[in-house]
Amino acid sequence: MADADTGKAKKRDWRKLAVALGNRKTAFMLLFGFAAGLPYALLLGTLYAWLSDAEVDLETMGVFSLIGLAYAFKFLWSPLLDRIDLPALKRLGKRKQWIVTAQLLLGVILLVLSTLDPLTSLGWFSLLAGIGAFASATQDVVVDAWRVDVADEKATIDILSTVYQMGYRIAALVGGALALFLAERTSWPTVYATMGAIMAVVGIAGLFAPDAEQTTAKLGADAEDLAALRRPGEIVPGVRKWALLIIGALWAWALVSVGVFMVRSLGSDPDTRPDSVEFISTQGPLVVIATVVLPAIIAAWLVFQKRQGNHLLTSDEPASGAFDRAIDHGYRALILPLTDFVGRLGWAVVIVIGLVLTYRITDAIWGSFAYPFYLGELEYTKDEVAVASKFFGVGALMVGLAVGGTLLTVIGRMATLTFGALIAALTNLLYADLAVGGVRMAAVSDAIGFSWLVSHLGGDARLAKLMLTIAGENIAVGIAGAAFVAYLSSIVAKGYSAVQYALLSSLTLLVGTLGRGALGQMIEERGYYDVFILTTLIGLFAVGLCLVEWWRISRQGRRSGMDETALANA
């Protein structure tokens, strides 16, 4: 009888997966994932190949990498995207109006870039690249919010998260390897004009995407939401005002500091450019404290005061003027997402933040040192690395994403999240073996016949062990990535999805950025082997946090901080 029930449950899981994959929302999620990944690949990867061909100096190219800060600090303007409507585009929906605008703007920017010479028009080139990074990061914020908002019983958050990652990785291949292939046979202006046209077509197609019913319904409820802040049982306006002013000042300082740094860094005079390493090592932690740590403490204090019955209104207190209404708007946009998050999670917010900080930190840090390891330490050729990493590796990553999406549906989110963390940590040991000669990886490759296959396709046993290592890591990263995006999407509230998801995802990027200097120093002093052992241990710490979070969710159920759809798949 138990076997029959298990068989029926498995059939329901597979049927659920098939329905989700055939949903219209899933198709648009794939498209939006592609649209998110393409400009990132073109502006923070392929662009350097164009600059190299144009003989732009290395110092200037290093400055271009700083436009990536737009992605790390995208949460700073996310509250505006949650509450501000674009003129004449409001009817598209709260999310779609920003998604379509960002995609069309990116299409125009790529087309204009294709008309410029990066050597003679470097100022305009850097300005457009910076605006493009800002538009791309903005698109990421709203697409992430759209994914959370439109998820339902058919197009589940797990499947949407997996499909988004697939679209993103396909775009990385198109904007990376395919762009290089086309540039070799045509020209860089042709490549960027083609990619710009693709982004414009995606933007037009986005007009027909569904928007979240809940988000659209909220358009007519703004006045009611604001009025609710001034009813009995809510925090008194005076306390709310000071909380908003303090957190607003902290976020404004961070936004201005990062903005000034980027503008100065992209200037035409090298002598006036600030030291990026110094900024990241000194200002980076301060930005994290100002925008995450202190606001979280203030939000926790507000939640505590409300639960204790302190500083609460005892009667209606309507807004008396424009200033009061402005304070209410700001509080709703910036503070309520934080108090909602802290209020739902309670003490577990420490576990969640710890999990966010450690789950993908090794990937975020390691990416900067992958090519020095392959090309410098192991002395592979560029062609070998391209075959192993860009082609075979991307295929393995797609396999991992597909497996991750299936596991999310069949065994549940937290089981997949924990399994992904475990294998992602252990695959660091594969690289540790390569760092000391790769004897074990070579033996495995020989034993399963992979060395024989690669040798018959034009490679050798040495290339085979690199391909096998990268494949193992990428499959693990695909499974872990699908589970992690689904987990983050499940713990944010639909009403505040843009701010909450942007904060969590940016926190992952920020910590990875801050840790690169220390990891680089460790590589210089102790070598790659010790670094891979360290990243394995960090990954195992994330496994422990996954187990704690899994226990918390299982024990607390609806009080865990997840929405109902998320709980059904946990």
Side-chain angles (χ1 to χ4, degrees):
M1 189 69 171
D3 291 340
D5 291 340
T6 302
K8 290 180 180 179
K10 288 183 177 180
K11 286 183 179 179
R12 284 196 300 270
D13 289 336
W14 287 109
R15 193 178 301 115
K16 185 178 180 181
L17 178 63
V19 170
L21 292 175
N23 192 280
R24 178 167 169 254
K25 294 175 183 178
T26 307
F28 276 101
M29 189 75 268
L30 182 67
L31 186 68
F32 288 165
F34 179 85
L38 188 61
Y40 188 90
L42 293 172
L43 296 174
L44 290 180
T46 308
L47 188 65
Y48 302 119
W50 186 1
L51 295 175
S52 296
D53 285 350
E55 299 182 351
V56 174
D57 64 273
L58 290 175
E59 182 181 357
T60 302
M61 280 196 283
V63 168
F64 268 83
S65 67
L66 297 176
I67 65 176
L69 289 175
Y71 294 91
F73 293 102
K74 60 189 177 183
F75 66 91
L76 291 174
W77 59 90
S78 59
L80 300 177
L81 305 177
D82 241 347
R83 295 300 171 188
I84 293 181
D85 294 312
L86 294 171
L89 296 177
K90 181 178 178 180
R91 70 176 70 183
L92 291 177
K94 183 63 86 175
R95 307 303 183 197
K96 276 175 58 180
Q97 60 179 323
W98 286 102
I99 291 174
V100 171
T101 300
Q103 290 171 349
L104 292 177
L105 177 60
L106 283 164
V108 171
I109 287 173
L110 292 174
L111 287 169
V112 175
L113 280 176
S114 72
T115 67
L116 299 177
D117 184 339
L119 195 59
T120 59
S121 304
L122 188 60
W124 282 106
F125 205 84
S126 61
L127 176 63
L128 286 171
I131 296 174
F134 179 82
S136 178
T138 298
Q139 178 192 207
D140 288 355
V141 171
V142 190
V143 167
D144 287 335
W146 182 87
R147 180 178 64 249
V148 174
D149 290 350
V150 302
D152 54 27
E153 299 80 10
K154 294 182 179 178
T156 65
I157 195 67
D158 294 334
I159 294 300
L160 291 179
S161 299
T162 302
V163 169
Y164 168 82
Q165 292 251 316
M166 286 185 171
Y168 198 97
R169 300 301 178 177
I170 292 171
L173 189 61
V174 171
L178 181 60
L180 292 172
F181 178 82
L182 291 175
E184 189 69 25
R185 287 153 181 78
T186 56
S187 66
W188 283 114
T190 300
V191 170
Y192 273 74
T194 302
M195 299 299 171
I198 291 174
M199 281 301 303
V201 170
V202 171
I204 294 172
L207 292 169
F208 303 96
D211 205 34
E213 293 179 5
Q214 184 231 20
T215 305
T216 304
K218 283 181 69 69
L219 293 175
D222 283 353
E224 179 63 24
D225 289 345
L226 290 174
L229 291 174
R230 293 180 168 271
R231 289 176 181 162
E234 294 296 326
I235 297 289
V236 296
V239 173
R240 290 195 291 105
K241 178 182 70 175
W242 281 109
L244 175 63
L245 290 177
I246 294 171
I247 294 180
L250 291 170
W251 278 44
W253 169 81
L255 185 59
V256 170
S257 297
V258 174
V260 170
F261 172 70
M262 290 184 66
V263 170
R264 289 180 60 199
S265 297
L266 294 173
S268 58
D269 185 2
D271 295 331
T272 63
R273 294 171 183 166
D275 188 330
S276 60
V277 175
E278 181 182 356
F279 176 84
I280 291 173
S281 61
T282 59
Q283 296 292 100
L286 294 178
V287 170
V288 174
I289 292 171
T291 56
V292 179
V293 179
L294 292 179
I297 292 173
I298 294 172
W301 182 82
L302 289 169
V303 171
F304 177 78
Q305 294 302 313
K306 189 171 183 179
R307 289 178 177 174
Q308 293 296 311
N310 300 328
H311 307 295
L312 301 184
L313 288 169
T314 56
S315 61
D316 286 351
E317 188 176 322
S320 58
F323 179 75
D324 283 353
R325 287 191 290 273
I327 292 294
D328 290 347
H329 276 287
Y331 188 86
R332 184 186 60 176
L334 182 58
I335 309 298
L336 285 186
L338 302 177
T339 56
D340 169 82
F341 192 68
V342 173
R344 282 188 296 109
L345 293 173
W347 64 270
V349 73
V350 177
I351 298 174
V352 171
I353 292 178
L355 187 55
V356 169
L357 293 178
T358 57
Y359 196 87
R360 301 301 301 273
I361 188 173
T362 54
D363 297 335
I365 294 177
W366 164 240
S368 300
F369 302 102
Y371 285 115
F373 179 64
Y374 299 146
L375 300 172
E377 182 76 5
L378 301 182
E379 298 182 346
Y380 284 96
T381 67
K382 291 187 178 71
D383 286 345
E384 288 173 331
V385 173
V387 169
S389 179
K390 292 298 183 183
F391 291 99
F392 187 74
V394 170
L397 185 62
M398 298 298 288
V399 170
L401 288 169
V403 172
T406 303
L407 290 176
L408 284 167
T409 303
V410 175
I411 67 174
R413 183 182 302 111
M414 293 310 300
T416 307
L417 187 75
T418 306
F419 176 66
L422 178 61
I423 60 175
L426 294 179
T427 51
N428 284 279
L429 297 178
L430 306 184
Y431 284 101
D433 181 62
L434 283 187
V436 292
V439 175
R440 294 176 181 83
M441 291 308 301
V444 172
S445 181
D446 292 341
I448 65 176
F450 190 70
S451 298
W452 175 86
L453 177 63
V454 172
S455 65
H456 279 71
L457 293 175
D460 56 24
R462 186 168 173 272
L463 176 61
K465 67 180 180 182
L466 177 64
M467 292 174 68
L468 191 63
T469 301
I470 291 177
E473 184 212 17
N474 282 10
I475 290 174
V477 166
I479 295 172
F484 189 58
V485 171
Y487 169 72
L488 291 185
S489 300
S490 71
I491 61 175
V492 302
K494 286 192 174 185
Y496 309 111
S497 51
V499 179
Q500 291 177 355
Y501 194 95
L503 261 174
L504 292 173
S505 59
S506 293
L507 196 58
T508 306
L509 291 173
L510 278 171
V511 173
T513 301
L514 296 174
R516 286 172 192 157
L519 192 67
Q521 184 177 355
M522 185 176 178
I523 290 173
E524 289 287 338
E525 295 176 354
R526 306 190 58 171
Y528 282 96
Y529 179 82
D530 286 350
V531 167
F532 288 124
I533 298 301
L534 174 64
T535 53
T536 301
L537 295 176
I538 294 174
L540 292 177
F541 182 73
V543 174
L545 288 174
C546 285
L547 292 172
V548 174
E549 176 69 347
W550 191 356
W551 170 81
R552 180 187 74 86
I553 291 172
S554 300
R555 184 178 180 183
Q556 296 189 11
R558 299 194 186 285
R559 295 168 52 208
S560 65
M562 288 186 173
D563 62 29
E564 293 184 11
T565 303
L567 282 167
N569 295 287

